[in-house]
Amino acid sequence: MSMQPVPITIANGDGIGPSIMQATLHILEAAGARIAPETIEIGEQVYLRGQTNGIDDSAWESLRRTKVFLKAPITTPQGGGYKSLNVSMRKALGLYANVRPCVAYSPFVDTKHPNMDLVIIRENEEDLYAGIEHRQTEEVYQCLKLITRPGCERIVRYAFEYARQQGRERVTCMIKDNIMKLTDGLFHKVFKEIGEQYPDIEQDSMIIDIGAARIADTPENFDVVVMPNLYGDIVSDVAAQIAGSVGMAGSANIGDQCAMFEAIHGSAPDLAGQDVANPSGLLHGAVQMLVHIGQADVAEKVHNAWLCTLEDGIHTADIYKQTVSKQKVGTMAFADAVIARLGKTPSLLSPVSYAQSTPLKLPTPVRKAPAQKALVGIDIFLQWQQGEPAELGQKLNALSRENIKLQLITNRGVKVWPTGFPETFCTDHWRCRFLSPTENLDFAEVLALQTRLHDAGFDVVKTENLYTFDGEAGYASVHG
Ligand code: NAD
């Protein structure tokens, strides 16, 4: 084990960030963490001096060199052209796995779920967080949901490897593939494929709506839960909150080369500058960081001292309850209380051991051999306000040709032509599907069709090519 201090990058963040960072570093130093922090500035100050992505080039340099980042929460200005720096950093540094343990500390922290001990493993780079959004018509806005096979494979394998390493028994996959059959369908399919390589681990899947409801109701029935980005973002906040306080859970953002550790909560501007925030979320992120840099001994010491502090009833305001708490303390006094307990192990709460927790090394993903891809048609999206679906169908039919024919028209995904209900509300955004009767459609024919539409005065706002892959449709079918 190296005794050399490990260079890490830290950012104090906004709102309660500087105060919980100070408390966390104070504890790490007292515990003997062998780290050499270098501070970068990110967040509100950087946004306000005109850098709309919230980070300077010099900060990227530090992050890419140290490859380890302990980050306090930052404020993302609402509205305007500001990008979420959290999302940008996760994507730019390839931090694909977001690991969020949510544990109850009953009876010392009030919760309706005393036996809760689950870990949410959230895909961190894809899904609706790609930030690809467009306004297409007067009335319609679009956000693109991107799910990739390598992305699913990495996160699902991470979840199974994590479960195996941590001695956890079950991995549950949560998706919405009854509706999003291709995107969430792929996540689910990959879960089943990779799951076959882990027969020692129980596995099941749930549709996200009932899954989220069950986590909120009986979280003690869950162990490791893996899900796409948006569901994981929402459900992990719910899980952290019902475990006791959103102020207590930490999160590790793991990539092949870099890793970022943080609290799951935000900058809580309402509590800034009052020395009342709970530093435990960031401290838990820091504990995960110590394990990541090979200092499991220090991680264990800090975590056990923190458990002793909870047991002794020394609580910040967010978890203070007259019936169980003995002393309400501020951020720095809480840190001092943890420091005073370094070297002790809890007597009622289970002590932690990080002996088995080395950073996971996943096998290099093997890309599948490319499928036979054939162009079979095109979905053309039009802005059209003039009249009834039947009229549009008639006009577009006239622009069909032998090898590319209008098959159907939908409005907000509902079929309105050749059949449909007059009750269906129609907006100004029409998806017109043209298909080829053969599997050898030439792209030139698709372009020619668009030219005919344009020449006929139609406003083409977007197109989506329709392919088959090894004969299987790469587009959702339309019913109704
Ligand atoms: P938030 O998590 O900052 O705060 C919500 C509420 O939870 C607070 O009002 C506070 O009552 C409580 N809380 C949160 N952390 C606490 C702590 N450590 N101790 C005690 N109580 C705590 O969520 P928000 O108000 O929606 O967001 C505020 C800002 O934070 C926004 O600008 C948002 O974009 C940003 N944000 C940043 C991150 C991040 O940096 N990772 C994550 C989420 C939100």
Side-chain angles (χ1 to χ4, degrees):
M1 183 193 308
S2 165
M3 299 311 278
Q4 284 294 319
V6 177
I8 63 164
T9 304
I10 62 163
N12 291 317
D14 302 313
I16 58 171
S19 135
I20 60 173
M21 179 61 86
Q22 190 189 356
T24 298
L25 290 178
H26 194 38
I27 297 168
L28 295 195
E29 191 186 340
R34 300 173 295 281
I35 52 172
E38 46 186 81
T39 307
I40 59 168
E41 198 191 5
I42 56 169
E44 208 167 23
Q45 288 315 309
V46 183
Y47 285 117
L48 295 178
R49 58 171 190 255
Q51 187 86 6
T52 53
N53 57 7
I55 182 166
D56 289 326
D57 288 349
S58 58
W60 280 122
E61 188 282 316
S62 171
L63 287 170
R64 295 180 62 211
R65 180 166 34 79
T66 68
K67 303 190 188 311
V68 182
F69 187 23
L70 181 63
K71 177 184 145 292
I74 53 174
T75 300
T76 308
Q78 288 181 312
Y82 303 112
K83 287 189 78 154
S84 164
L85 177 56
N86 291 316
V87 175
S88 306
M89 272 186 311
R90 288 171 188 152
K91 289 194 289 195
L93 299 175
L95 310 179
Y96 65 89
N98 192 327
V99 183
R100 298 183 159 191
C102 300
V103 185
Y105 302 98
S106 181
F108 305 103
V109 179
D110 199 32
T111 169
K112 296 190 181 89
H113 312 285
N115 299 318
M116 170 176 186
D117 177 7
L118 63 86
V119 181
I120 290 177
I121 299 201
R122 160 189 171 195
E123 197 290 316
N124 219 14
E125 298 179 284
E126 307 193 337
D127 196 0
L128 288 157
Y129 288 62
I132 306 176
E133 291 190 290
H134 297 98
R135 178 176 179 175
Q136 295 182 331
T137 70
E138 205 43 45
E139 295 175 345
V140 174
Y141 297 70
Q142 171 189 266
C143 176
L144 216 54
K145 172 166 165 130
L146 292 179
I147 300 274
T148 71
R149 179 168 265 279
C152 294
E153 286 179 357
R154 283 213 292 191
I155 194 67
V156 166
R157 187 170 295 285
Y158 190 95
F160 278 110
E161 287 290 325
Y162 179 92
R164 194 178 260 174
Q165 184 196 61
Q166 298 293 317
R168 293 200 170 245
E169 287 171 6
R170 187 158 61 105
V171 179
T172 304
C173 167
M174 291 194 185
I175 37 10
K176 186 84 186 167
D177 61 343
N178 54 335
I179 305 296
M180 285 160 279
K181 294 173 196 289
L182 263 71
T183 48
D184 282 23
L186 175 65
F187 197 95
H188 195 181
K189 191 170 162 186
V190 168
F191 178 77
K192 288 193 234 167
E193 277 171 23
I194 291 189
E196 283 177 13
Q197 297 164 32
Y198 296 84
D200 49 320
I201 294 173
E202 289 172 43
Q203 34 201 283
D204 60 355
S205 312
M206 287 181 188
I207 300 292
I208 183 67
D209 32 8
I210 188 61
R214 290 208 175 125
I215 285 186
D217 186 48
T218 46
E220 61 279 8
N221 290 346
F222 292 88
D223 201 345
V224 173
V225 190
V226 63
M227 44 187 129
N229 204 342
L230 178 63
Y231 312 144
D233 194 0
I234 297 168
V235 175
S236 59
D237 260 39
V238 172
Q241 183 69 34
I242 63 172
S245 164
V246 74
M248 291 211 303
S251 132
N253 300 266
I254 305 289
D256 284 339
Q257 297 178 45
C258 302
M260 174 170 89
F261 302 89
E262 56 184 343
I264 79 158
H265 60 76
S267 57
D270 53 324
L271 305 181
Q274 300 167 45
D275 189 43
V276 292
N278 190 342
S280 303
L282 186 61
L283 187 65
H284 278 137
V287 164
Q288 289 174 291
M289 176 193 77
L290 290 171
V291 173
H292 178 82
I293 61 175
Q295 297 182 25
D297 53 335
V298 191
E300 225 166 88
K301 194 166 156 188
V302 169
H303 200 152
N304 283 326
W306 178 83
L307 289 168
C308 292
T309 311
L310 284 193
E311 270 190 3
D312 289 347
I314 300 175
H315 296 163
T316 44
D318 57 317
I319 55 170
Y320 183 86
K321 271 266 152 43
Q322 233 160 12
T323 41
V324 286
S325 306
K326 295 212 173 69
Q327 199 185 343
K328 191 193 280 184
V329 290
T331 313
M332 286 314 286
F334 183 84
D336 288 336
V338 175
I339 290 169
R341 287 161 182 77
L342 286 168
K344 295 191 175 158
T345 45
S347 40
L348 286 169
L349 294 169
S350 308
V352 292
S353 164
Y354 287 114
Q356 305 300 321
S357 304
T358 48
L360 290 172
K361 286 262 175 287
L362 301 194
T364 315
V366 182
R367 283 211 149 94
K368 282 194 153 192
Q372 187 73 38
K373 182 178 167 192
L375 181 66
V376 295
I378 184 167
D379 277 350
I380 297 185
F381 294 77
L382 302 177
Q383 175 168 347
W384 188 75
Q385 256 144 335
Q386 283 93 340
E388 294 298 315
E391 183 192 339
L392 182 61
Q394 195 186 19
K395 287 184 170 164
L396 293 179
N397 239 346
L399 302 171
S400 290
R401 294 290 180 268
E402 191 60 27
N403 206 25
I404 185 155
K405 292 197 162 116
L406 181 66
Q407 197 213 17
L408 54 88
I409 301 173
T410 69
N411 196 294
R412 292 191 302 169
V414 183
K415 188 153 106 180
V416 292
W417 186 93
T419 54
F421 292 139
E423 291 88 345
T424 303
F425 174 77
C426 289
T427 182
D428 61 353
H429 184 265
W430 306 81
R431 185 261 303 264
C432 312
R433 174 162 293 177
F434 290 83
L435 278 179
S436 168
T438 65
E439 278 228 335
N440 60 356
L441 183 60
D442 195 315
F443 188 62
E445 296 179 77
V446 163
L447 288 177
L449 171 66
Q450 289 181 61
T451 306
R452 288 197 294 281
L453 262 77
H454 174 71
D455 291 346
F458 284 106
D459 182 5
V460 176
V461 294
K462 170 193 159 89
T463 63
E464 203 68 66
N465 293 341
L466 306 178
Y467 298 106
T468 57
F469 292 83
D470 288 339
E472 196 180 311
Y475 50 93
S477 51
V478 177
H479 302 286

